[in-house]
């Protein structure tokens, strides 16, 4: 309870000194909106990833989506690091092929 009172007091002091509020016009806010083309591209990539064999898909998701290092992904999947690298290479080739076929069809 004492910690909660102390945190509330710190917040109140920041607001009183003007440190808690900043005019929106002065803030550098990132533009996180994506255009329709980017949304379409992301959808196509995810569709391609879903068509990968399970072993390749697991590697892609662990390394590219979850952000694990190759060694960490290898440990999680209980396979050698070289196998991770091989599966990722094959997955990239497959995705490039699938994405190329879609561009030709479009």
């Amino acid at each position: 309870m004492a910690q909660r009172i102390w945190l509330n007091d710190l917040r109140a002091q920041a607001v009183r000194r003007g440190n808690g509020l900043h005019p929106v016009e002065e803030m550098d806010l990132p533009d996180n909106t994506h255009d329709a083309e980017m949304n379409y591209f992301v959808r196509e990539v995810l569709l391609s990833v879903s068509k990968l064999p399970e072993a390749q898909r697991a590697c892609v998701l662990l390394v590219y989506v979850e952000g694990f290092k190759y060694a960490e992904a290898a440990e999680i999947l209980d396979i050698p690091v070289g196998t991770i690298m091989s599966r990722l290479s094959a997955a990239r080739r497959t995705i490039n092929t699938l994405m190329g076929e879609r561009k030709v069809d479009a």
Side-chain angles (χ1 to χ4, degrees):
M1 172 126 174
Q3 183 182 10
R4 182 86 357 236
I5 293 170
W6 176 69
L7 289 173
N8 286 342
D9 188 49
L10 285 178
R11 279 190 218 104
Q13 287 176 14
V15 170
R16 280 189 219 113
R17 282 186 249 133
N19 295 333
L21 301 174
H22 299 281
V24 173
E25 297 79 21
E26 294 176 10
M27 298 300 295
D28 185 24
L29 301 174
D31 181 14
N32 290 331
T33 58
H34 299 290
D35 59 1
E37 186 175 328
M38 177 59 82
N39 290 338
Y40 178 77
F41 178 73
V42 169
R43 184 178 149 280
E44 294 296 312
V45 170
L46 291 175
L47 189 62
S48 297
V49 169
S50 72
K51 292 181 178 182
L52 292 172
E54 177 62 30
Q56 291 178 13
R57 187 170 54 244
C59 290
V60 166
L61 294 175
L62 285 173
V63 174
Y64 297 135
V65 176
E66 297 293 330
F68 288 102
K69 295 178 180 165
Y70 288 4
E72 294 170 329
E75 186 176 326
I76 290 169
L77 296 174
D78 195 29
I79 57 176
V81 174
T83 303
I84 293 287
M85 295 166 58
S86 175
R87 289 178 182 176
L88 289 174
S89 176
R92 285 191 300 269
R93 278 194 308 273
T94 302
I95 290 171
N96 282 335
T97 301
L98 291 171
M99 295 295 290
E101 289 174 2
R102 285 201 181 90
K103 286 182 182 178
V104 171
D105 293 342

